[in-house]
Amino acid sequence: MTKITFIDRKNHIRSIDADNNSSVMRAAVSHGVKGIAAECGGNGICATCHVYVDETWLKKLGPVGEDEDTLLDSTVSARLPNSRLSCQIRITPALEGLTLRLPERQT
Ligand code: FES
């Protein structure tokens, strides 16, 4: 298990213990974290699992893939330099303490 923290737009903090090798999106949905729509179920075609990654964690996530990069241009809330799609972030023990901010809207 790896602890991941979500901060919503009202600064409410929610930490979950997520299964390793799952995606951040799947962990959030299975724990009832509000603010991740994930309409395509993780198939990488909807951009409704958008998150903003705490700056200190960006380097640990590795680069944005080409398809993810394209899809990030279609997020409803503004794309920022730290935007990622949570279905593309694989959970590993190295991400213990990962902190993500949820955008204002996903749809
Ligand atoms: S859940 Fe659809 S792109 Fe991530």
Side-chain angles (χ1 to χ4, degrees):
M1 296 291 210
T2 297
K3 187 172 293 297
I4 298 176
T5 297
F6 297 88
I7 305 172
D8 72 15
R9 65 180 195 272
K10 292 181 177 174
N11 286 322
H12 294 144
I13 297 171
R14 171 90 191 273
S15 293
I16 64 170
D17 290 317
D19 289 332
N20 291 317
N21 294 318
S22 181
S23 70
V24 168
M25 178 279 286
R26 289 215 179 278
V29 169
S30 69
H31 284 81
V33 174
K34 292 186 169 51
I36 294 188
E39 289 180 345
C40 77
N43 289 314
I45 56 173
C46 73
T48 63
C49 62
H50 181 201
V51 291
Y52 300 116
V53 179
D54 186 281
E55 304 285 347
T56 58
W57 288 97
L58 274 179
K59 282 180 249 158
K60 293 189 178 181
L61 296 186
V64 175
E66 194 174 319
D67 290 343
E68 182 181 0
D69 186 42
T70 300
L71 202 52
L72 280 166
D73 286 336
S74 61
T75 56
V76 171
S77 292
R79 178 180 183 172
L80 300 177
N82 61 338
S83 286
R84 294 295 300 262
L85 297 179
S86 60
C87 70
Q88 303 301 307
I89 302 173
R90 184 76 32 203
I91 299 168
T92 69
L95 297 184
E96 174 72 24
L98 174 66
T99 302
L100 307 161
R101 284 194 170 268
L102 297 165
E104 188 171 334
R105 294 179 53 221
Q106 295 283 9
T107 59

